[in-house]
Amino acid sequence: MASRLWFLLVFFCFIGVGKPDLQSDRAALLAFRAAVGRSLPWNASQSPCAWQGVRCEGARVTVLRLPGTGLIGVIPAGIVGNLTGLRTLSLRFNALAGLLPSDLASCRDLRNLYLQGNKFSGEIPPFIFVLENLVRLNLAQNNFSGVISPAFNNLTRLGTLYLENNHLTGSIPVLNLSNLVQFNVSFNQLNGSIPQNLRVMKSDSFLGNSLCGRPMIPCPGEENESGHKSKKLSGGAIAGIAIASVVAFLLILLIIFLVCRKKRTRQTRSVDIATVKPPEAELTGDKSIREAENGTHNVSSGVVVAPARAGAPDPSAAKKLIFFGNAARVFDLEDLLRASAEVLGKGTFGTAYKAVLEVGTIVAVKRLKDVTISEREFREKIESVGSMDHENLVPLRAYYYSKDEKLLVYDYMANGSLSALLHGNRGAGRTPLNWDTRSAIALGAARGIEYLHHRGPSVSHGNIKSSNVLLTKSFEARVSDFGLAHLVGPTPTPNRVAGYRAPEVTDARKVSQKADAYSFGVLLLELLTGKAPTHALLNEEGVDLPRWVQSVVREEWTSEVFDLELLRYQSVEEEMVQLLQLAIDCCAQYPDKRPTMTEVVRRIEELRRSSLQHERDSHIHPIDDGDDASSQRTVSVDGSGAPAQQQPSLLD
């Protein structure tokens, strides 16, 4: 008898009373397919890590992503809970119904749970609140009922909570979740007051309910921002306000009339920057540069008119366009002033226009503002800019200087700016911007800036941003606006939250090469994340793009930062992480910790070579572009700035 007991003890030790492994995960996945996913094309003879929607790490299944794959029915208990290594579970947009399986509570490492677009019902189960590592939870577009439990406060890492389009009732509890940045409970049956700490969310988060308080309608008797309860105005108060409004309106009209009359008087004494011609000599149906800026269309004059003092003609009036080098002089100032103009954008140093000349030539014209230096100094500095010749710079072809007008003429770039390409159209019909194009743009822009820095230790760009990286027809990067920071007057102290400027920069005219490196780092982050530095969601709490990315990296869910258009490409995940690391290095707080642009160019060239080799070895192919936020990816950011030696899959 004793020998039998010894045999049974040894038997159970060996068969694994067992630690979960890939075989147990495989069995759970096959049971899942048998229950709700018979159409899944999983080959039982293959490793489960090769199955559609499955990702593994360390002999465990860590990701199960099956969006819109025809899953139907009720998930039985005792299946999903066996996948204890799961960090991402996405079953969105299927036809799953019934209650959530209670053994989901065993998946304690779960960070992303996407169940939106199904038919799950019942109350939000209490076992959800033991999943303390959850970062993203999306239960939208189901049939959940009951109240929103205050136990959500147990999920201290939660950054996204989507509960919209369900049948939830009651009030919204106070949610003290410091990481919560995405929240939506719209189109339920909720009522009551919106908690104070959730009133920073947009109104779209609360639509379709009977809720009050900012950002919705005020609650009855609620105190306004000044601390006084809102009261109904008396009839006398209303009458007084009405009379005061009428008087103020009449006063404003009088002021506008006087200003317009004064302006019209000034305009009758203005002269043209080139020469005074009869209006009939320059009839055109197009807008001139000034008209394009002001939004007016004066068909009787197609010239730029600049104010001048009465009786004191501008001594520079007869001057012409000054061309650089051997550029073909196929047009003159008169041709430029008669050209039809379209505003391309208003930037730090002035307004840019697309000018179509009568001969068919298209150029870009920048009309400078706030130029405070002398004419001699201006000409010296602009001659230096015009002498800069590099394939990744937008060439300056000509300029015009007078007391009242300073015009710069550049080659026109057909594909516009990188900013417009990244952020201009994020809806249907957008052509995804792939890794090869983005990394090539990064390399081209880096080479252009490196060329500027090689002109001398005091030479910098001073205004690096995505709207100043222009693109040719073949999407080659050309850096613009270089050398202009020293031509204009001081700008207000920059808002680091809203832009690209390094922390130490207080004057746009005094930007070091290391500050350029910081701005370029922000530009790289913009390329990788698809988010602008002024992205509203990031900045509600005053967090800029570099700080946001670094916080995500610290949380070890790094692939959350990448643009979904980039996550379509498996083979270049290592290169994407290397470029992310370079961007973080460039955005170091202290200037001496940032790489030089020569080092930046070298590192981008190396990762570009690596990605091209991967493409040759195994053709890059797009995969499922995942959820509204993909899963985790760990990057080591150490003091040396080197990426981790061993990196798990980008889609883990």
Side-chain angles (χ1 to χ4, degrees), residues 348-350 367-373 406 487-491:
T348 306
F349 305 131
R367 189 174 186 220
L368 297 179
K369 65 178 182 180
D370 301 327
V371 175
T372 56
I373 60 178
K406 289 86 181 171
L487 302 178
V488 300
T491 57

Side-chain angles (χ1 to χ4, degrees), residues 333-595:
L333 182 61
E334 292 297 314
D335 297 323
L336 185 64
L337 298 180
R338 282 196 296 267
S340 61
E342 172 190 342
V343 176
L344 296 174
K346 297 186 178 183
T348 306
F349 305 131
T351 304
Y353 306 88
K354 173 185 177 182
V356 182
L357 304 172
E358 292 178 352
V359 294
T361 304
I362 302 177
V363 294
V365 180
K366 181 173 285 289
R367 189 174 186 220
L368 297 179
K369 65 178 182 180
D370 301 327
V371 175
T372 56
I373 60 178
S374 67
E375 178 178 354
R376 179 179 177 181
E377 189 178 0
F378 178 90
R379 293 188 184 279
E380 288 176 353
K381 291 183 180 296
I382 210 65
E383 289 286 342
S384 175
V385 173
S387 68
M388 295 180 183
D389 182 19
H390 190 271
E391 61 181 0
N392 293 114
L393 297 180
V394 179
L396 177 60
R397 297 304 186 191
Y399 75 95
Y400 174 83
Y401 181 95
S402 74
K403 179 181 178 181
D404 300 295
E405 292 288 355
K406 289 86 181 171
L407 305 177
L408 305 180
V409 182
Y410 295 92
D411 283 356
Y412 175 71
M413 298 291 120
N415 270 327
S417 71
L418 175 60
S419 177
L421 189 65
L422 283 173
H423 314 301
N425 175 22
R426 280 275 166 176
R430 170 179 167 83
T431 301
L433 192 57
N434 63 29
W435 163 254
D436 186 60
T437 302
R438 294 192 200 214
S439 60
I441 290 171
L443 179 57
R447 285 173 172 166
I449 299 165
E450 180 196 26
Y451 169 83
L452 296 176
H453 288 188
H454 280 171
R455 303 272 297 188
S458 63
V459 178
S460 64
H461 184 289
N463 193 30
I464 297 169
K465 55 185 179 181
S466 60
S467 59
N468 282 339
V469 176
L470 306 183
L471 304 167
T472 67
K473 289 183 179 179
S474 55
F475 292 95
E476 296 172 347
R478 300 283 188 272
V479 178
S480 69
D481 266 23
F482 51 90
L484 304 188
H486 303 287
L487 302 178
V488 300
T491 57
T493 301
N495 181 353
R496 291 192 290 112
V497 171
Y500 300 78
R501 289 194 180 159
E504 70 274 13
V505 174
T506 57
D507 188 339
R509 299 171 300 174
K510 299 176 181 179
V511 176
S512 68
Q513 293 184 354
K514 289 292 188 178
D516 273 354
Y518 182 96
S519 300
F520 185 75
V522 179
L523 178 70
L524 289 181
L525 293 179
E526 190 174 0
L527 263 172
L528 290 168
T529 65
K531 294 178 171 61
T534 54
H535 194 268
L537 177 62
L538 301 178
N539 291 299
E540 283 175 355
E541 300 295 330
V543 179
D544 58 17
L545 185 54
R547 286 175 55 198
W548 177 75
V549 169
Q550 289 166 358
S551 70
V552 172
V553 170
R554 283 194 297 270
E555 288 292 328
E556 299 184 355
W557 36 293
T558 301
S559 73
E560 293 285 340
V561 306
F562 290 114
D563 193 338
L564 290 179
E565 292 178 0
L566 284 178
L567 290 178
R568 294 161 55 88
Y569 301 94
Q570 282 181 291
S571 303
V572 294
E573 58 187 50
E574 183 64 30
E575 288 73 28
M576 289 162 55
V577 174
Q578 289 177 19
L579 191 59
L580 178 66
Q581 180 66 65
L582 175 58
I584 292 173
D585 291 347
C586 289
C587 293
Q589 183 77 8
Y590 300 105
D592 59 348
K593 299 292 186 182
R594 301 169 197 155

Side-chain angles (χ1 to χ4, degrees), residues 132-145:
E132 296 178 353
N133 286 315
L134 273 181
V135 174
R136 303 251 178 160
L137 177 60
N138 195 332
L139 303 178
Q141 301 173 26
N142 280 285
N143 295 318
F144 289 110
S145 57

Side-chain angles (χ1 to χ4, degrees), residues 6 25 39 90 109 127 180 190 220 247 262 264 379 386 396 433 487 499 512 531 564 572 574 588 607 617 634:
W6 175 252
D25 287 351
S39 62
S90 172
D109 289 334
F127 63 76
L180 192 66
L190 302 171
V247 172
K262 186 176 181 181
R264 194 160 49 244
R379 293 188 184 279
L396 177 60
L433 192 57
L487 302 178
S512 68
K531 294 178 171 61
L564 290 179
V572 294
E574 183 64 30
L607 68 89
D617 293 344
T634 301

